[in-house]
């Protein structure tokens, strides 16, 4: 089947990755369906899709990952060739405040959608949005597919359950189900609560005189940061192979939060050191100190590699925040 005839169903389409993935699939000729949960402020729900100017090209359908009946109904109505499960309570810090909800959405939600696929259209191809947070307290200096997991938050534990359920459905029911273990990826569409976007937004506010300082937690933490646009391409590639498999998606370079701040502030001619205030409210009950991925398998099997550098991405984010705030 050519991509032109394919239907994709994306959960989490209103999030960062959902928006970029929808844009990619539309450019390949897919018919794209995205699940949206009910909100009392409908006008902010599709803000990312509007930013990318694609909202009118997508079929938005009502549903919720915690509501199996809505997923079964969508699967029956849409009959998708590919299902991308990107919906989650995705913010690590919130997962300590809402551990049960995080388990229900981020963990059990994946089983709901796997069940809906198995019951309605078991030949749909399935992508599960797994995360480098599953490596947590890292057991190897470069984390790859075979590295043992050590989750350090309710979010990571919920994602690990969803990861193993994906593998279990593949092995039990012969479903084409893949788990993409993606390291942190950012963009101008990243949520403001995540550290990169918090920093780029604050740098611009400081430059414009709207803010005087930037309060952060552990700035010695290191992350392997890539660009969401590169990473959604990997999701799609995983569903185009002869056999389903799991892949680490990363850049292979790690940087401290401190150095990432310097990139953002320097782009505006400022020195980050002059504005950062360490605030214990942003420390976490258990920290993931360092993440560094080895994407060799993805390069060999999918021909995938990250194209956009951390510097280019942070500057793009700063410029986008400047455009928004000016
Ligand atoms: P976002 O937080 O930007 O988006 C999360 C999406 O999930 C939103 O569309 C949100 O909808 C939706 N959602 C939340 N709860 C429910 C629910 N109960 N039912 C239906 N939809 C729901 O995440 P990202 O786009 O950054 O990430 C996409 C996926 O990849 C997530 O699963 C995340 O955990 C995972 N991931 C992300 C990484 C990253 O660095 N970005 C790294 C590795 C994995 P609403 O808009 O209504 O809130
Ligand atoms: P995560 O890797 O999914 O938790 O992504 P985040 O962007 O939320 O956090 C990345 C790292 O930045 C973590 O180690 C955080 O502890 C660290 N960090 C330091 N200060 C902050 C802050 O103010 N906000 C956030 N979100 N993270 C911070």
């Amino acid at each position: 089947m050519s991509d032109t005839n394919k239907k994709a169903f994306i959960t989490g389409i209103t999030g960062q990755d959902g928006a970029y993935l929808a844009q990619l699939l539309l450019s390949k000729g897919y018919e794209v369906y995205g699940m949206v949960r009910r909100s009392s402020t409908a006008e902010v729900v599709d803000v990312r899709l509007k930013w990318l100017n694609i909202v009118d090209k997508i079929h938005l359908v009502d549903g919720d990952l915690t509501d199996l009946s809505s997923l079964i109904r969508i699967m029956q109505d849409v009959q998708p060739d590919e299902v991308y499960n990107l919906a989650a309570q995705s913010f690590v810090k919130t997962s300590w405040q809402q551990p049960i909800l995080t388990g229900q959405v981020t963990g059990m939600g994946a089983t709901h959608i796997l069940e809906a696929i198995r019951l309605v259209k078991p030949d749909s191809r399935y992508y599960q949005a797994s995360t480098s947070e599953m490596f947590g307290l890292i057991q190897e200096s470069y984390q790859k597919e075979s590295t043992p997991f050590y989750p350090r938050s309710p979010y990571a534990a919920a994602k690990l359950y969803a990861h193993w359920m994906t593998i279990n459905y593949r092995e039990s029911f012969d479903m084409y189900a893949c788990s993409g273990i993606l390291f942190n990826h950012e963009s101008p569409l990243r949520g403001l609560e995540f550290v990169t976007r918090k920093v780029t937004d604050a740098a611009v506010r400081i430059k414009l005189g709207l803010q005087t300082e930037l309060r952060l937690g552990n700035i010695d933490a290191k992350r392997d940061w890539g660009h969401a646009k590169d990473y959604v391409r990997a999701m799609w590639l995983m569903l185009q192979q002869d056999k389903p498999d799991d892949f680490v998606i990363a850049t292979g370079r790690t940087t401290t939060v401190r150095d990432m701040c310097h990139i953002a502030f320097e782009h505006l001619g400022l020195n980050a050191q002059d504005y950062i205030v360490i605030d214990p409210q942003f420390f976490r009950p258990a920290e993931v100190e360092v993440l560094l991925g080895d994407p060799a398998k993805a390069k060999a099997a999918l021909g995938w590699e990250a194209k956009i550098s951390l510097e280019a991405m942070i500057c793009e984010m700063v410029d986008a925040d400047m455009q928004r705030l000016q």
Side-chain angles (χ1 to χ4, degrees):
M1 184 188 283
S2 82
D3 291 345
T4 321
N5 302 320
K6 281 190 188 168
K7 280 190 208 169
F9 169 43
I10 304 174
T11 74
I13 196 157
T14 56
Q16 168 189 258
D17 291 7
Y20 281 116
L21 178 65
Q23 185 182 47
L24 177 77
L25 297 180
L26 286 169
S27 77
K28 291 182 181 297
Y30 279 62
E31 203 174 321
V32 176
Y33 291 77
M35 187 171 75
V36 180
R37 52 184 178 154
R38 198 259 161 187
S39 164
S40 64
T41 43
E43 64 275 15
V44 297
V45 167
D46 51 8
V47 62
R48 291 186 172 97
L49 301 172
K50 282 183 178 146
W51 177 271
L52 295 182
N53 211 13
I54 55 173
V55 72
D56 297 335
K57 302 184 179 107
I58 293 165
H59 306 277
L60 295 177
V61 290
D62 292 333
D64 193 296
L65 217 50
T66 58
D67 179 19
L68 176 62
S69 66
S70 67
L71 300 172
I72 290 176
R73 178 181 47 73
I74 293 168
M75 285 299 298
Q76 285 170 336
D77 291 350
V78 175
Q79 299 282 325
D81 301 289
E82 296 173 9
V83 177
Y84 296 85
N85 182 32
L86 310 186
Q89 191 302 95
S90 68
F91 189 43
V92 172
K93 185 129 193 296
T94 294
S95 76
W96 279 283
Q97 280 128 22
Q98 300 181 25
I100 296 167
L101 176 118
T102 302
Q104 286 166 339
V105 178
T106 306
M108 192 58 75
T111 306
H112 285 170
I113 191 148
L114 283 162
E115 268 299 276
I117 294 171
R118 185 176 75 83
L119 293 169
V120 179
K121 195 171 182 296
D123 65 341
S124 298
R125 295 188 167 202
Y126 178 75
Y127 174 83
Q128 170 59 27
S130 292
T131 168
S132 55
E133 288 288 322
M134 301 189 308
F135 296 121
L137 188 61
I138 56 168
Q139 304 293 298
E140 288 178 322
S141 50
Y142 275 89
Q143 298 90 58
K144 51 184 182 290
E145 293 78 3
S146 57
T147 302
F149 297 115
Y150 195 136
R152 291 270 278 173
S153 63
Y155 167 76
K159 280 286 188 186
L160 193 52
Y161 166 75
H163 170 73
W164 280 113
M165 287 306 281
T166 303
I167 294 169
N168 186 261
Y169 270 60
R170 181 168 77 218
E171 294 177 352
S172 306
F173 304 118
D174 205 22
M175 279 168 48
Y176 191 111
C178 301
S179 177
I181 306 174
L182 272 53
F183 281 61
N184 296 54
H185 46 280
E186 323 291 311
S187 74
L189 299 185
R190 187 61 145 151
L192 273 167
E193 65 276 33
F194 294 91
V195 75
T196 52
R197 181 77 200 292
K198 179 174 173 179
V199 167
T200 60
D201 176 75
V204 170
R205 284 178 189 276
I206 288 168
K207 181 75 180 177
L208 296 176
L210 303 170
Q211 189 171 318
T212 54
E213 59 183 24
L214 167 58
R215 304 185 85 83
L216 292 173
N218 176 16
I219 59 173
D220 294 319
K222 289 177 145 183
R223 288 293 181 273
D224 179 332
W225 278 297
H227 196 299
K229 262 190 167 178
D230 276 339
Y231 285 41
V232 297
R233 199 173 69 249
M235 296 176 187
W236 175 76
L237 281 168
M238 281 181 223
L239 297 200
Q240 314 310 314
Q241 306 306 306
D242 291 337
K243 284 189 178 155
D245 204 349
D246 309 318
F247 294 93
V248 157
I249 300 297
T251 70
R253 167 188 173 195
T254 194
T255 308
T256 60
V257 171
R258 182 197 312 272
D259 287 345
M260 179 271 294
C261 290
H262 281 290
I263 298 171
F265 279 74
E266 271 167 25
H267 187 55
L268 295 167
L270 301 171
N271 184 354
Q273 233 162 281
D274 297 339
Y275 304 99
I276 292 175
V277 177
I278 301 303
D279 185 339
Q281 71 159 303
F282 297 110
F283 290 135
R284 293 166 179 196
E287 177 62 288
V288 172
E289 293 292 347
V290 53
L291 289 171
L292 175 56
D294 174 2
K297 182 178 167 184
K299 187 170 182 192
L302 306 176
W304 178 90
E305 59 187 329
K307 291 181 180 160
I308 304 170
S309 72
L310 176 65
E311 286 75 9
M313 177 179 76
I314 293 293
C315 292
E316 181 194 351
M317 291 171 69
V318 169
D319 292 343
D321 281 324
M322 182 61 87
Q323 192 186 327
R324 283 189 183 101
L325 287 164
Q326 267 178 342

